[in-house]
């Protein structure tokens, strides 16, 4: 580590800023500090070393460069010559690489002429055409009606709206809602469908071992099971059959299989809910789904086996797959979309030896023409325009640079032995991670709920209410909130029994809790007294899980003889909210940095490579400063080896230019899952940016990952 002081000259604003910086924090932290001073977002910063004109990037040695830097916002016309020259040099290199790739493609096409099979065209057609018959089953109204009954649609709609609300989108467009629902459908399917390595014994439900293949029974052939695997129980020697069904109507009943069954059934569900969907046949033995996103105006990749979306380089870069053909198959035709899934097209071409590229195109075009034979001229024109746009997109895709900052995982579905045999473990068996954007915490409701619960507990404390009575009240409140959560989110209403009516009559702060959850008590209206949503449906959906988790924690504390004292136990008032967060890295899609601030126990911030050091910055909302009094950290739901152990908390009074140490801890052990620890800050500083530097995880030598369940800051805020 080297402490540096940089002088940053901003062009064209003609301003100078001093930045104090530790080089071990990396370039992302430097960019965030500059953003705090200049309001130029990190992804729009071009930082140039004045002494030699070089552009600062991830490969720059920040310890040795000269201290005077020039900041040029990307897109500004007043660029500096040195920066333009550096960009030109980078472009020239890119052009050289492009020329080499095109030459390699030409050579691969030339070699392809000598390696293709004599009957390759028919072989290729026979691989594709059976799947056309398969996808047409997705359009059957009876099958679709049966599928609709198997999906908790209201629950998924609510989760979709909550996911948008967490991004600050409370009034989404139809395209945003449709896209969010599709992702929730993917996550639900991933949880509800079961992967089968070897089926459990039909008799004793214990492990089996494969024997071989068997002849399908008429009842199995009826649902497309032309292949049947035979297994013998390792304990009772009974025989178990595993028919490989491909009729989606049967699959929504069995809800199990491998990638073929998973992709087949999920693509069917996508069609059931009206998405333009296609089954993707990978000739190297995998299957997945694509859907057309009206939000993005393009096809997006969805892999139900992995629960991954819009990550097409997963197979080549993550699994280390040697792709050859990836064919998209739908009711409207078939398309060769291999180029979407590779950045090594010249290498892929060398493996496409079944038949010539012209023959592939002709076969697919012929099948597509038959599929569209009954369409109107307007429908044909719309499909042709979309095809043309996709063709242009795919032509450009193969020449895009690979973002090496994004680490993609090896295959996760299936046993390790099976994945290893297929050489699909990838470079490292880790989950996906990404460099983070700056994210805004949508958590004002969390602070309001904690304030309301703190007021209720303070009332009990001031009036010396017995602990048994406190527990009784919170058990009753919890039952009310659980009933509200279980109700349909569009029409939440629960009738109050006499016990609940008494609580609201003698405890005015209980209505404050309802208000924090966007609920209202109707005690003196015509009809039975009740609690219902106040009309803000998504705010209620967002807040109810937070309130339930908080009440559960209060009850757990009281039952463990941990009693509330003002200002010391959870929950407390003065919780900071609505700030902006930037982290060293995060796991997508659920382990993002703001998940540590959402008040939900099961969510967490997860840093895939953070066990030996990672960081998180929190910028106070609205240009305010805060005087931090305390903070809480809670361990996550699993994997204690990923817990934080050593850390430093710092504060900045100048938007991240310089830092003061507020608190430091070492050798902290979280004794259980969802274990909350509160830390009082001895050094009181006013700060507008807070930074955690987590120095070490609990088992950093054996485990690369870091996680934290929740982070809560408490203190007074002031306008700067």
């Amino acid at each position: 580590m080297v402490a540096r002081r940089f002088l940053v000259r901003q062009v064209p604003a003609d301003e100078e800023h001093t930045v104090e910086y530790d080089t071990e924090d990396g370039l992302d932290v430097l960019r965030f500090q500059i953003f705090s001073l200049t309001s130029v977002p990190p992804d729009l910063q071009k930082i140039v070393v004045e002494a030699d004109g070089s552009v600062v990037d991830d490969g720059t040695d920040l310890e040795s460069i000269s201290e005077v830097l020039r900041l040029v916002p990307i897109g500004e016309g007043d660029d500096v010559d040195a920066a333009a020259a550096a960009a030109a040099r980078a472009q020239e290199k890119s052009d050289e690489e492009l020329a080499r790739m095109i030459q390699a493609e030409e050579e691969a096409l030339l070699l392809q002429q000598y390696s293709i099979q004599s009957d390759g065209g028919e072989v290729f057609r026979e691989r594709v055409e059976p799947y056309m018959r398969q996808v047409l089953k997705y359009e059957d109204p009876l099958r679709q009606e049966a599928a609709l009954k198997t999906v908790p649609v209201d629950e998924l709609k609510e989760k979709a709206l909550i996911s948008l609300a967490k991004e600050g989108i409370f009034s989404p467009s139809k395209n945003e809602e449709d896209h969010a629902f599709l992702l929730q459908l993917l996550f639900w399917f991933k949880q509800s469908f079961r992967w089968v390595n070897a089926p459990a014994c039909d008799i004793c439900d214990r492990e089996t071992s494969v024997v071989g293949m068997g002849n399908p029974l008429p009842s199995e052939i009826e649902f497309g099971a032309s292949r049947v695997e035979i297994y013998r129980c390792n304990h009772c020697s009974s025989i178990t059959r595993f028919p490989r069904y491909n009729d989606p109507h049967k699959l929504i009943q069995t809800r199990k299989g491998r990638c073929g069954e998973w992709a087949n059934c999920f693509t069917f569900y996508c069609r059931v809910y009206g998405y333009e969907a296609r089954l993707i046949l990978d000739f190297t033995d995998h299957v997945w789904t694509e859907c057309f996103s009206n939000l993005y105006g393009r096809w997006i990749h969805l892999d139900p086996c992995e629960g991954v979306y819009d990550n097409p380089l997963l197979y080549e870069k993550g699994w280390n797959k040697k792709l050859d053909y990836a064919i998209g198959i739908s009711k409207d035709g078939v398309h060769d979309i291999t180029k979407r899934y590779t950045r090594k097209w010249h290498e892929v071409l060398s493996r496409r030896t079944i038949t010539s590229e012209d023959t592939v195109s002709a076969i697919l075009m012929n099948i597509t023409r038959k599929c569209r034979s009954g369409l109107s001229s307007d429908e044909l024109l719309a499909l042709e325009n979309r095809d043309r746009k996709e063709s242009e997109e795919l032509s450009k895709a193969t020449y895009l640079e690979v973002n090496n900052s994004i680490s993609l995982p090896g295959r996760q579905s299936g046993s390790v032995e099976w994945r290893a045999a297929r050489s699909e473990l990838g470079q490292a068996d880790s989950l996906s991670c990404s460099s983070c954007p700056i994210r805004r915490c949508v958590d004002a409701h969390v602070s309001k709920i904690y304030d309301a619960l703190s007021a209720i507990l303070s009332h009990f404390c001031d009036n010396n209410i017995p602990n048994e009575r406190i527990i009784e009240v919170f058990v009753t409140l919890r039952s009310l909130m659980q009933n509200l959560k279980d109700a349909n989110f569009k029409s939440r209403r629960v009738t109050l029994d006499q016990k609940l009516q008494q609580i609201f009559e003698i405890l005015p702060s209980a209505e404050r809790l309802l208000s924090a959850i966007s609920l209202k008590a109707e005690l003196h209206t015509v009809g039975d007294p009740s609690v219902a949503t106040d009309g803000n449906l998504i705010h209620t959906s967002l807040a109810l899980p937070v309130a339930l988790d908080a009440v559960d924690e209060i009850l757990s504390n009281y039952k463990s003889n941990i009693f509330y004292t003002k200002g010391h136990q959870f929950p407390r008032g003065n919780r900071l909210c609505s700030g902006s967060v930037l982290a060293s890295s995060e796991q997508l899609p659920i382990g993002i940095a703001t998940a540590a601030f959402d008040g939900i126990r099961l969510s967490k911030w997860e840093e895939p490579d953070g066990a030996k050091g990672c960081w998180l910055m929190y910028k106070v909302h609205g240009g305010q400063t805060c005087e931090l009094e305390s903070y809480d950290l809670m361990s996550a739901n699993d994997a204690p080896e990923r817990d934080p152990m050593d850390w430093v908390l710092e504060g900045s009074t100048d938007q991240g230019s310089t830092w003061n140490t507020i608190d430091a801890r070492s050798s902290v052990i979280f004794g259980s899952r969802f274990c909350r620890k509160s830390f009082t800050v001895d050094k009181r500083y006013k700060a507008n940016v807070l930074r955690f530097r987590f120095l070490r995880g609990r088992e950093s030598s054996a485990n690369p990952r870091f996680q934290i369940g929740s982070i809560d800051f408490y203190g007074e805020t002031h306008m700067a």
Side-chain angles (χ1 to χ4, degrees), residues 357-376:
E357 295 303 301
D358 288 342
T359 302
V360 168
S361 297
I363 291 171
L364 298 182
M365 192 177 299
N366 183 49
I367 296 173
T368 299
R369 190 179 297 113
K370 291 179 182 178
C371 292
R372 299 178 179 180
S373 59
L375 299 181
S376 68

Side-chain angles (χ1 to χ4, degrees), residues 113-159:
Q113 299 176 24
Y114 299 98
S115 55
I116 60 176
Q117 305 171 26
S118 57
D119 60 346
E122 193 59 30
V123 171
F124 183 84
R125 183 189 302 275
E126 290 174 355
R127 288 290 300 272
V128 174
E129 280 191 332
Y131 288 90
M132 276 305 309
R133 294 189 290 274
Q134 176 64 37
V135 300
L136 290 178
K137 294 177 183 176
Y138 302 161
E139 309 308 311
D140 175 31
L142 293 178
R143 286 183 171 92
Q144 290 194 1
E145 184 180 356
L148 285 170
K149 297 175 182 178
T150 65
V151 180
V153 62
D154 285 338
E155 177 186 331
L156 299 190
K157 285 182 178 179
E158 182 181 13
K159 287 183 175 180

Side-chain angles (χ1 to χ4, degrees), residues 364-427:
L364 298 182
M365 192 177 299
N366 183 49
I367 296 173
T368 299
R369 190 179 297 113
K370 291 179 182 178
C371 292
R372 299 178 179 180
S373 59
L375 299 181
S376 68
S377 57
D378 288 345
E379 290 171 325
L380 282 173
L381 181 61
L383 288 172
E384 288 166 1
N385 286 338
R386 192 169 72 185
D387 290 348
R388 184 162 47 252
K389 182 179 178 181
E390 181 181 29
S391 179
E392 293 170 357
E393 173 197 332
L394 293 177
S395 295
K396 297 174 183 177
T398 53
Y399 304 117
L400 296 176
E401 291 187 14
V402 177
N403 186 350
N404 290 316
S405 69
I406 298 178
S407 170
L408 294 176
R411 186 170 192 158
Q412 305 297 305
S413 53
S415 67
V416 173
E417 294 78 12
W418 182 76
R419 287 179 280 154
R422 295 162 61 94
S423 301
E424 292 176 351
L425 287 174
Q427 301 301 316

Side-chain angles (χ1 to χ4, degrees), residues 429-446:
D429 196 18
S430 63
L431 295 175
S432 62
C433 61
S434 170
S435 298
C436 303
I438 297 172
R439 300 186 185 276
R440 184 171 70 87
C441 295
V442 181
D443 65 336
H445 60 287
V446 180

